[in-house]
Amino acid sequence: MGFARACSVALVGVEGVVVEVQADLEPGVAAFTLVGLPDKSLVESRDRVRAAVVNSGAEWPQKKLTVGLSPASVPKSGSGFDLAVACAVLGAAERIDPAMIADVVMIGELGLDGRVRPVRGVLPAVLAAAEAGYEQVVVPEQTAGEAALVPGVSVLGVRSLRQLIAVLCDEPVPEEPVEGQGRPDAMLAGLMIPGTGLGTGLAPAPARGDGHLPDLADVAGQPRPRQALEVAAAGGHHLLFSGPPGAGKTMLAERLSSVLPPLTRQESLEVTAVHSVAGILHPGEPLVSRAPYCAPHHSATMQSLVGGGNGMPRPGAVSLAHRGVLFLDEAPEFSGKALDALRQPLESGHVVVARAAGVVRLPARFLMVLAANPCPCGRHSLTGAGCECPPSVVRRYQARLSGPLLDRVDLRVEVEPVDRADLLGHGGRGESTAVVAARVRDARARAAERLAGTPWTTNSEVPGHELRTRLLVAPGALAAAERDLERGILTARGLDRVLRVAWTVADLRGAGRPDASDVAVALELRTGIQRGVPMGVGER
């Protein structure tokens, strides 16, 4: 009787569980049994592994073979277990030393010819292996750069099963020719889900293929919306743009991710792990360093926004926008069920999806930007534009954004139509993205210094209790906000959010703490009621 074991990783959401792949050979009729709660794609690995082993020059054992995936209670899916199954079988057949593979984590799909094909989710799988104490990982050659992002782990990238056998047996490593030179690598097809390429609103990519990013200086006029955009980026505050079509709401939202600071190392690993599982990680970019931008269509379902799918839930748009921007254009056209599902992640920074196959916790700390027209035709706020929508239709259209959802939006700005002088450039170009991004970085640095030693890094994350007891504003600065609270204009949550925005405004102008004018700016940006404060948050 022969026995050997190797290790692989099963992904549950964006978290991994180390799975022990055990192979047992016994005398009897040749058969291959796979147990341990596998799905359909994993059951089919029996034929893939047998063909790959034979075509790699090794002998397939003609005995009763049982392969067990432990723990058996964890659902296992995908083809990433092929490499571990093949090595466990070869170890049981004594083609390779079982001791050489006992503590090695192997991730990869096998082709029928023995080539190792890349799979999605390599980064979270290697992170799970490192947390479990494993130090050696074998992955496909194309994803070795992604796996090498995890510190303290020795990564071996292989192109074929015969190369791995040679390494484990201390034999000369055969050369594997690179096929298809001069055309896209077909092996990378396993990393991308069809339909998640550029232009779908799901990939953090430049606007044009030449790497050019949209610049904030391209937006004509709109000083107040630009101010709100800067405040949103500096403090991580959610934002609502409302106004007629063609005023520049989408242009402003598309430029927000460029204003945000670069991701830290930990944030980059979080975002890369989500994108790797979702299948939108670019093969040439193993580490996402820029804040992602996700703009789903208004026909998106609740499951596509918060996560779902057959079997174990997959990341939705809120997770793809983690540490970045989630832009909902034509927000009232989204279904009310889908919009209200955003309430939990807006508050907690994560989403818990419960399905029959299990419960998954997905990261979802994003900056939400909503864009809405005043009515179905979009001309309700324009003087003499000829809006024909009845008042009842206008009220019903605007009520599609529920009160509880809007209460979680810190900044609500009316985007006015662009006049001729601004559109033709007579008023001069506005500030560029680089200038605004520098101020945003400085403001975030002040907030991080103030919040050092706490679990929060931006003003939008600070709980209201801390704002009212420890982080105090200037004396008398909250008089106007308290009056609005008594009149019912603000809720208790709204007062906390006004305080958070006031701290961000103070950080942008370099003040030690907010004063009455900072609170007035925050109130105007939230309620839309003019308070007679200066236009620029950094100019006093």
Side-chain angles (χ1 to χ4, degrees):
M1 182 181 71
F3 177 83
R5 62 185 179 90
C7 295
S8 191
V9 178
L11 290 177
V12 182
V14 295
E15 299 177 355
V17 178
V18 176
V19 173
E20 189 176 275
V21 181
Q22 304 170 346
D24 177 70
L25 284 175
E26 296 179 355
V29 179
F32 189 171
T33 305
L34 184 65
V35 297
L37 210 58
D39 71 342
K40 180 65 174 176
S41 61
L42 187 50
V43 170
E44 293 175 350
S45 68
R46 295 178 300 183
D47 299 323
R48 289 196 303 270
V49 170
R50 182 186 293 109
V53 169
V54 173
N55 290 327
S56 298
E59 183 180 353
W60 183 261
Q62 298 299 319
K63 296 181 180 180
K64 182 182 178 181
L65 172 62
T66 303
V67 174
L69 308 176
S70 179
S73 59
V74 177
K76 304 165 190 70
S77 61
S79 56
F81 296 87
D82 290 2
L83 200 58
V85 171
C87 288
V89 172
L90 292 175
E94 298 182 352
R95 172 63 178 86
I96 57 180
D97 185 2
M100 295 292 294
I101 61 174
D103 295 321
V104 179
V105 175
M106 302 181 183
I107 304 165
E109 176 186 337
L110 286 175
L112 300 183
D113 57 353
R115 289 183 300 170
V116 181
R117 303 179 64 93
V119 293
R120 296 186 297 271
V122 168
L123 177 59
V126 177
L127 284 170
E131 292 175 359
Y134 291 88
E135 299 179 352
Q136 293 180 319
V137 177
V138 178
V139 297
E141 186 181 52
Q142 293 88 340
T143 57
E146 182 181 345
L149 297 173
V150 182
V153 176
S154 175
V155 178
L156 173 63
V158 295
R159 192 175 298 173
S160 67
L161 178 60
R162 61 176 63 91
Q163 283 188 341
L164 179 58
I165 294 174
V167 171
L168 294 175
C169 297
D170 198 18
E171 300 172 355
V173 179
E175 289 291 335
E176 294 289 345
V178 179
E179 299 182 3
Q181 293 186 359
R183 63 175 185 265
D185 189 357
M187 299 283 284
L188 299 177
L191 297 177
M192 300 289 291
I193 296 177
T196 57
L198 305 183
T200 60
L202 294 178
R208 293 192 289 270
D210 56 1
H212 175 79
L213 292 174
D215 198 296
L216 201 56
D218 301 335
V219 181
Q222 306 298 359
R224 180 62 68 171
R226 291 171 64 100
Q227 174 196 18
L229 196 76
E230 183 175 343
V231 173
H237 306 288
H238 305 303
L239 177 62
L240 167 64
F241 286 137
S242 59
K249 303 186 295 293
T250 303
M251 286 187 66
L252 287 163
E254 289 176 343
R255 285 150 178 79
L256 178 55
S257 60
S258 301
V259 178
L260 294 174
L263 300 178
T264 64
R265 174 74 177 186
Q266 180 60 34
E267 292 172 347
S268 295
L269 289 176
E270 295 175 5
V271 175
T272 304
V274 176
H275 289 190
S276 178
V277 172
I280 64 171
L281 186 64
H282 195 276
E285 187 181 13
L287 184 66
V288 179
S289 58
R290 193 174 66 246
Y293 172 81
C294 184
H297 191 258
H298 59 76
S299 61
T301 62
M302 183 186 71
Q303 289 77 10
S304 67
L305 284 181
V306 300
N310 297 327
M312 293 302 294
R314 300 184 63 85
V318 296
S319 297
L320 300 181
H322 181 59
R323 301 295 182 183
V325 178
L326 176 67
F327 177 46
L328 303 182
D329 200 5
E330 306 294 343
E333 300 294 342
F334 282 80
S335 69
K337 187 178 180 181
L339 289 175
D340 288 337
L342 299 176
R343 297 184 196 176
Q344 179 204 3
L346 285 175
E347 286 289 336
S348 62
H350 64 268
V351 60
V352 178
V353 183
R355 295 290 185 269
V359 180
V360 174
R361 185 180 185 271
L362 301 170
R365 187 168 298 281
F366 55 90
L367 198 164
M368 182 180 69
V369 181
L370 304 175
N373 294 327
C375 67
C377 75
R379 300 191 296 270
H380 179 69
S381 60
L382 299 178
T383 304
C387 175
E388 299 178 354
C389 300
S392 60
V393 174
V394 175
R395 287 195 302 270
R396 188 161 55 247
Y397 184 81
Q398 295 178 351
R400 292 181 180 178
L401 299 178
S402 64
L405 177 65
L406 290 180
D407 199 34
R408 291 166 167 83
V409 178
D410 301 343
L411 313 174
R412 309 172 193 175
V413 182
E414 186 74 24
V415 183
E416 302 290 342
V418 183
D419 57 28
R420 182 178 62 182
D422 289 331
L423 190 60
L424 298 179
H426 298 326
R429 287 168 58 91
E431 291 181 319
S432 66
T433 296
V435 174
V436 177
R439 284 203 301 268
V440 169
R441 285 196 300 270
D442 293 341
R444 288 217 175 188
R446 294 188 186 96
E449 182 179 359
R450 181 174 62 253
L451 299 174
T454 68
W456 317 296
T457 55
T458 59
N459 293 321
S460 62
E461 302 173 4
V462 182
H465 177 73
E466 292 287 326
L467 293 171
R468 294 188 298 270
T469 57
R470 191 170 70 88
L471 302 175
L472 300 178
V473 301
L478 284 178
E482 292 170 352
R483 287 195 299 269
D484 286 358
L485 181 65
E486 293 175 354
R487 295 170 183 170
I489 300 176
L490 284 179
T491 63
R493 180 192 284 119
L495 179 62
D496 291 341
R497 292 186 175 274
V498 166
L499 280 172
R500 294 168 182 167
V501 175
W503 274 104
T504 301
V505 175
D507 288 336
L508 282 170
R509 68 183 184 89
R513 61 177 177 173
D515 57 16
S517 59
D518 296 324
V519 176
V521 171
L523 285 170
E524 181 173 336
L525 289 174
R526 181 172 179 86
T527 63
I529 302 174
Q530 297 294 328
R531 309 278 172 164
V533 292
M535 182 66 67
V537 295
E539 302 171 2
R540 291 288 168 83

